[in-house]
Amino acid sequence: MIFSRTTQNNRNGRASVALLLGLASIVVVFLLLTFSLRLRPDARRTTADNVQINVYCAAGVARPVEQLVNEFNALMGTHLEIVRTGGSGELAGQIATEFQSGVQRGADLCILADDLLLEKGQNDGMFREVFPLAVQKPVIAVAAGSDWDIQSLSDLVSRTEISYGLTSERAAIGKMARAIAKRDQLLIPLEVNRKTDSENVMTLAQALITGSLDAAIVWDTTVNQLNQGSDQPVLEIAAYVDPQDQIAGRVGLAVLATSSHPTLAIQFARFMSAPDTGGPAFHRFGFVTHPGDHWEEVPEVHLFMGSMFTPVLEERVRHFGERHGVNIYSRWEGCGKLVASIHSINDPELFPDAFFACDTHFMKQVQEYFQAPISVSSNDIVMAIEETQASQIRSPKDLLNANLRIGLCDPDQSALGWLTQQLLSSTPYQALYEKIQEQSAVTVDAGPTLVSQLTAGGLDVAFVYRSNVMADPHLTKNIKIIPLHHSRASQAVQPWAISKSTKNPELMRRLFEMIIRSDTMNSFEKAGFRVKATEKD
Amino acid sequence: MPKDRPASRCSLGRRTSWLFWSSMSGLGGLYLILILLLVFVDFQYANWVDIQTSLADERVRFSIYLSLTTCSLAAILSIWVAVPTGYVLARLGRDSIQRNLEQRPRLNQLAQLIRHSVDTILDVPIVLPPLVVGISLLVLFQTPLGRALDHTTQDFFSWLGFPGIRGITYEIPAIILAQFTVAAAFAIRTMRNTFEQIDERPELVALTLGARRFRVFYTVAMPQAWRGTVAAFTLAWARSLGEFGPILIFAGTARMKTEVLSTTVYLNFQFGNLRGAVVASLILISVAVVALITTRLLLLSGYRGGRR
């Protein structure tokens, strides 16, 4: 008993120490956690400005991107952060994993040095917008002051005494070097004689600096970046891998479809691609930049769109403006009116940045102001007739004997009117147009107006585009479409063209990309258009 | 001749003894030289001015402070888990199960199987590639449970006055969790070995004298296990300091946000700043060495004080 008491007394003391330590550790954990959170400069920022854009960046482009992220944050008071760097393939792989597993706080945008990966990501639905940024060339680099005299890729792979490395195919540079070697039938010696294949170009360049390799295939910009980071040059270019410059690495920025703040991400993308903001940073590190639009916090663009597109595009254009943080002023009117406006506009600020015409006839009238047009769709002219009257009408000739209220479009103010005039003046309808025009109840400047009047009961029949009727499913119930079996009835082709004087050609190019995206084109087809342009255009 | 035998045996013994120790230490010595060379070349590559410049850099200081705090947190959390788990595994070992379930062979087998399975699962983070731990954590936090936890944590941090910390994923807590996940496995293994080496008899005696299990644990077992606890803490701390793969995936590598020392090394390397990467490595080595020496000194003082 005495022994046990003594032992118990002694151990009581120790026990309290152990317990106290346990309790103290809880306090320490809380204090350490608070301290670690306080370390974050932005930990106390309010929820109102708690917006963060996560950037994944290819290692070879990280330096100019880091500079631009800092400049953008300073300018806009935003919280962009490069949260991940690595090889382009490595990053694309992680983004795919995040996309598939539904990670909420993954990347908002990524910068990859491989345009094929960007294209694939876009096709897979991971990337919504892609901005081309810069071009870089694969080179054979050696340590500065090195004695190796390497003239070409074939020279490199044929000299077994040279210890060289290239990245794996997961990195853009590795893929590109292999493509060039394959073209020049050097792929086998290139693979056999290489000493290493690292995951990204920076790892390879570092191996070159430390002397682990004699030569390496890296980007020309990698050499520039590393030389600028040191007091004296550490690397030099021995030869270009593709002297013909046929194959080059294209750096691009992609905004992810899952981004929770796409507008801010796109704004940064515009900042990066702008020649006045992003350009200097890229040039500093030897990149050849892709000319983007000049930087404006909120660009302003004017669109002239034929009225036939209103049901399909009006909402989408509005969404585009919201997503891109752009003020879009669009006019949806008959093309004749739009053309007249284009001719009469004196203020360059009000001149349309792009024109989407209902027919090439009107585009030709203002072609001098626009770049080469692209045909997007075509459409048929049809007779839309109130259902109860449909039984007595088979062709336009039947209209002459029926006492019907006919609606036409003005041939001077709209493409539809002009095409209707052409149609009804040609064989087999010779001179029919004048007679119908005499009988017509109204002549308006746009097809949708005729459809509205038809629906309201003000007209019995109207010459309109098929899309004017099909755009609204409710209309097709009460209005019957009578097709006109004539080659001129399907002549309306809708061209898109960007203004030569626009300050935002890239923005307009992206708007066009949205228009020819498969989902938009599906809507075009549902609305009665025939699609002519594809995403490849 | 017979008279010479003891002298020659002694001489032979000395010679073989020298040969024995030198050959046995040879390989270890080579490894020691390798470690010293690694540190030496790092110091050769970066000079004192580089180190001073780096230490003056706000970003490097941030990563040092963040590394120290997150490692300490991960190590403490590891100890919280490792001490009870290690004790359970040690005291409910094969012999204990055998002893208690001797009369019930089937139950005995089942208990042994469960015990082995638990033991194996707890060792999984040790053998898993670090990136897998990161990916698994990332995926875990995309499940409804993970998202709920993420949101709850965000609310908690807002309540604490840190609305800028948006939950766990890609934030500082992600670093701690990633470090803890791996470090705890090492700590558990250490604590299990510690308790296995402590004689169970004093605990049994205390039990027979009427003490309750909890009391026996913290009055008899824990005081004897303090050296093992320190060792487990050090191991967990050091493991956390060197952790990188899970942090890369689960916490990201954002400067001044989730940047710990290993991330600084990686970022500098990725940005083509080899000198910066080497300096950050040296800081990492220095911090680790200081921590190890401190722990050793603590343990030695324990010995000198006559404590176990």
Side-chain angles (χ1 to χ4, degrees):
Chain A
M1 284 298 282
I2 292 168
F3 170 77
S4 71
R5 264 186 209 149
T6 313
T7 311
Q8 204 169 358
N9 285 342
N10 285 342
R11 283 183 179 162
N12 263 344
R14 286 190 180 184
S16 56
V17 169
L19 265 181
L20 280 174
L21 277 173
L23 291 171
S25 73
I26 296 171
V27 178
V28 169
V29 162
F30 183 77
L31 291 175
L32 282 174
L33 183 66
T34 313
F35 178 72
S36 68
L37 297 181
R38 282 177 69 96
L39 282 172
R40 273 274 302 278
D42 51 354
R44 287 178 178 276
R45 72 181 189 229
T46 60
T47 43
D49 59 356
N50 192 6
V51 172
Q52 186 188 305
I53 302 293
N54 291 337
V55 182
Y56 285 14
C57 181
V61 205
R63 294 188 84 159
V65 173
E66 188 186 36
Q67 183 188 324
L68 288 169
V69 163
N70 292 336
E71 286 175 10
F72 186 77
N73 284 338
L75 180 72
M76 306 292 292
T78 49
H79 299 279
L80 265 84
E81 286 177 21
I82 300 177
V83 295
R84 182 88 164 81
T85 56
S88 294
E90 191 184 337
L91 296 180
Q94 179 159 351
I95 289 167
T97 308
E98 290 177 351
F99 186 71
Q100 284 154 17
S101 60
V103 170
Q104 284 183 320
R105 288 182 196 145
D108 288 288
L109 56 90
C110 68
I111 296 142
L112 306 178
D114 187 337
D115 50 345
L116 291 177
L117 283 175
L118 290 166
E119 195 181 321
K120 187 176 181 302
Q122 210 167 12
N123 292 338
D124 293 347
M126 290 195 301
F127 304 152
R128 184 65 69 82
E129 289 88 9
V130 171
F131 292 73
L133 291 176
V135 177
Q136 47 189 355
K137 295 174 187 171
V139 297
I140 300 165
V142 294
S146 159
D147 294 332
W148 294 109
D149 180 24
I150 303 165
Q151 299 293 325
S152 63
L153 182 63
S154 67
D155 192 18
L156 176 76
V157 300
S158 60
R159 290 162 63 182
T160 50
E161 72 275 18
I162 302 175
S163 153
Y164 69 86
L166 80 157
T167 61
S168 75
E169 274 191 281
R170 281 166 56 80
I173 180 77
K175 197 188 284 182
M176 203 143 292
R178 284 173 177 86
I180 296 167
K182 193 175 177 184
R183 184 196 66 194
D184 298 345
Q185 297 179 332
L186 296 168
L187 185 57
I188 293 171
L190 178 79
E191 292 286 16
V192 170
N193 297 332
R194 68 174 162 74
K195 190 178 173 189
T196 178
D197 58 347
S198 64
E199 267 307 299
N200 69 62
V201 69
M202 274 299 170
T203 314
L204 206 59
Q206 304 287 13
L208 205 55
I209 295 171
T210 53
S212 306
L213 294 170
D214 300 326
I217 296 176
V218 296
W219 297 117
D220 54 350
T221 54
T222 313
V223 175
N224 285 328
Q225 287 177 56
L226 288 167
N227 285 345
Q228 287 196 26
S230 307
D231 303 334
Q232 51 195 5
V234 288
L235 293 179
E236 60 187 49
I237 296 171
Y240 281 85
V241 177
D242 183 23
Q244 302 156 39
D245 273 352
Q246 286 176 340
I247 301 177
R250 285 175 179 78
V251 181
L253 180 152
V255 178
L256 272 79
T258 50
S259 171
S260 45
H261 305 288
T263 307
L264 196 52
I266 291 172
Q267 201 173 32
F268 175 64
R270 288 196 288 102
F271 181 83
M272 275 193 83
S273 60
D276 44 345
T277 47
F282 279 110
H283 292 152
R284 192 181 148 210
F285 293 104
F287 288 87
V288 177
T289 51
H290 177 94
D293 299 337
H294 282 271
W295 167 246
E296 276 180 289
E297 193 175 326
V298 182
E300 190 178 295
V301 291
H302 293 260
L303 295 180
F304 278 20
M305 316 284 269
S307 54
M308 70 190 303
F309 305 114
T310 316
V312 188
L313 285 181
E314 192 177 25
E315 193 62 13
R316 287 171 192 270
V317 168
R318 194 178 61 77
H319 276 302
F320 178 89
E322 280 174 8
R323 184 174 167 88
H324 285 247
V326 181
N327 280 338
I328 296 180
Y329 298 96
S330 45
R331 280 178 65 178
W332 308 83
E333 291 178 34
C335 285
K337 266 190 173 178
L338 294 176
V339 165
S341 291
I342 290 171
H343 281 302
S344 61
I345 289 172
N346 292 321
D347 185 353
E349 294 293 319
L350 300 177
F351 197 83
D353 296 87
F355 180 30
F356 198 5
C358 301
D359 186 61
T360 47
H361 170 69
F362 286 95
M363 183 61 84
K364 281 175 188 164
Q365 294 177 31
V366 289
Q367 188 56 66
E368 60 190 293
Y369 305 113
F370 293 90
Q371 297 172 17
I374 299 171
S375 299
V376 176
S377 59
S378 64
N379 212 321
D380 296 338
I381 297 173
V382 296
M383 279 195 298
I385 188 159
E386 205 271 318
E387 202 171 22
T388 54
Q389 308 283 352
S391 57
Q392 48 181 317
I393 305 298
R394 291 280 176 273
S395 90
K397 286 177 182 173
D398 300 334
L399 294 174
L400 297 175
N401 305 320
N403 185 23
L404 297 174
R405 290 165 296 172
I406 304 168
L408 287 173
C409 263
D410 189 311
D412 297 322
Q413 293 193 346
S414 77
L416 175 61
W418 185 81
L419 288 167
T420 310
Q421 186 186 39
Q422 295 298 305
L423 169 71
L424 297 179
S425 303
S426 60
T427 314
Y429 305 123
Q430 284 101 336
L432 191 64
Y433 182 74
E434 281 78 15
K435 290 171 188 167
I436 289 178
Q437 197 183 24
E438 279 171 21
Q439 281 190 30
S440 67
V442 288
T443 303
V444 298
D445 60 356
T449 314
L450 290 177
V451 173
S452 299
Q453 288 174 339
L454 200 61
T455 317
L459 290 174
D460 299 315
V461 63
F463 286 86
V464 291
Y465 289 120
R466 185 185 290 274
S467 63
N468 292 149
V469 183
M470 290 183 68
D472 186 350
H474 297 293
L475 292 179
T476 48
K477 288 178 189 168
N478 304 320
I479 296 175
K480 193 171 179 193
I481 290 173
I482 299 175
L484 304 172
H485 302 291
H486 192 285
S487 59
R488 282 182 181 266
S490 53
Q491 261 188 344
V493 172
Q494 292 78 52
W496 160 273
I498 298 171
S499 164
K500 285 177 182 171
S501 60
T502 179
K503 288 190 292 183
N504 299 289
E506 281 300 308
L507 183 62
M508 290 300 97
R509 184 185 62 75
R510 284 193 294 281
L511 176 63
F512 180 63
E513 277 177 7
M514 183 279 286
I515 290 172
I516 60 169
R517 216 168 53 203
S518 56
D519 58 323
T520 317
M521 285 290 106
N522 287 341
S523 300
F524 264 72
E525 282 181 329
K526 278 182 192 160
F529 288 89
R530 278 191 300 276
V531 170
K532 290 177 87 77
T534 63
E535 287 182 66
K536 284 180 183 171
D537 296 319
Chain B
M1 282 296 281
K3 278 181 188 172
D4 293 339
R5 265 181 198 162
S8 87
R9 255 192 222 144
C10 189
S11 155
L12 186 66
R14 272 202 299 272
R15 273 208 304 274
T16 53
S17 178
W18 181 86
L19 196 66
F20 171 79
W21 289 116
S22 56
S23 59
M24 291 296 275
S25 340
L27 286 173
L30 282 175
Y31 183 59
L32 186 72
I33 290 167
L34 176 67
I35 295 170
L36 290 173
L37 271 175
L38 290 177
V39 179
F40 177 72
V41 291
D42 280 352
F43 272 106
Q44 283 289 102
Y45 198 88
N47 56 38
W48 179 237
V49 178
D50 292 329
I51 296 173
Q52 276 183 317
T53 313
S54 273
L55 286 174
D57 186 343
E58 186 191 13
R59 294 180 301 185
V60 175
R61 285 207 306 274
F62 173 89
S63 76
I64 294 172
Y65 294 147
L66 190 61
S67 293
L68 294 178
T69 47
T70 55
C71 289
S72 305
L73 273 166
I76 294 172
L77 295 177
S78 299
I79 291 299
W80 282 4
V81 173
V83 169
T85 313
Y87 185 78
V88 169
L89 289 173
R91 291 294 173 255
L92 297 181
R94 197 179 57 190
D95 295 344
S96 172
I97 294 170
Q98 188 73 37
R99 199 169 50 240
N100 291 314
L101 300 171
E102 202 171 6
Q103 307 300 322
R104 305 170 76 177
R106 289 227 165 153
L107 205 58
N108 187 342
Q109 270 184 329
L110 182 68
Q112 294 285 6
L113 184 71
I114 291 170
R115 200 251 177 211
H116 278 297
S117 306
V118 170
D119 217 6
T120 310
I121 291 167
L122 288 171
D123 278 346
V124 164
I126 294 172
V127 294
L128 272 185
L131 287 175
V132 176
V133 176
I135 289 170
S136 306
L137 282 169
L138 193 65
V139 174
L140 172 70
F141 275 82
Q142 304 320 314
T143 59
L145 176 70
R147 284 186 180 168
L149 193 61
D150 224 8
H151 290 134
T152 311
T153 315
Q154 183 171 7
D155 294 343
F156 174 66
F157 289 145
S158 290
W159 177 77
L160 271 182
F162 302 108
I165 310 288
R166 303 174 312 150
I168 295 175
T169 318
Y170 295 121
E171 291 288 352
I172 289 171
I175 303 174
I176 299 163
L177 190 54
Q179 290 172 333
F180 162 78
T181 307
V182 180
F186 287 91
I188 288 171
R189 185 177 266 198
T190 310
M191 287 313 298
R192 187 189 64 193
N193 291 340
T194 302
F195 285 118
E196 276 174 354
Q197 284 167 18
I198 293 171
D199 192 355
E200 198 183 354
R201 270 180 296 181
E203 295 170 41
L204 296 173
V205 169
L207 283 170
T208 56
L209 291 174
R212 277 178 290 182
R213 261 288 173 196
F214 276 107
R215 193 181 178 90
V216 170
F217 173 69
Y218 65 75
T219 56
V220 183
M222 273 313 288
Q224 295 182 80
W226 80 269
R227 273 180 50 224
T229 311
V230 173
F233 179 87
T234 313
L235 187 62
W237 195 92
R239 196 70 194 78
S240 304
L241 189 67
E243 205 55 74
F244 175 64
I247 294 173
L248 175 77
I249 301 287
F250 187 46
T253 54
R255 286 235 195 251
M256 296 287 286
K257 186 188 163 199
T258 54
E259 186 182 1
V260 285
L261 274 169
S262 54
T263 318
T264 306
V265 175
Y266 172 76
L267 282 174
N268 281 326
F269 194 78
Q270 290 290 300
F271 281 60
N273 182 7
L274 184 59
R275 199 170 287 276
V278 171
V279 170
S281 307
L282 283 172
I283 294 169
L284 194 60
I285 293 169
S286 308
V287 171
V289 167
V290 167
L292 287 172
I293 289 174
T294 311
T295 315
R296 292 277 152 86
L297 287 175
L298 267 174
L299 291 173
L300 279 175
S301 68
Y303 273 127
R304 283 180 194 142
R307 296 162 72 189
R308 294 183 69 190

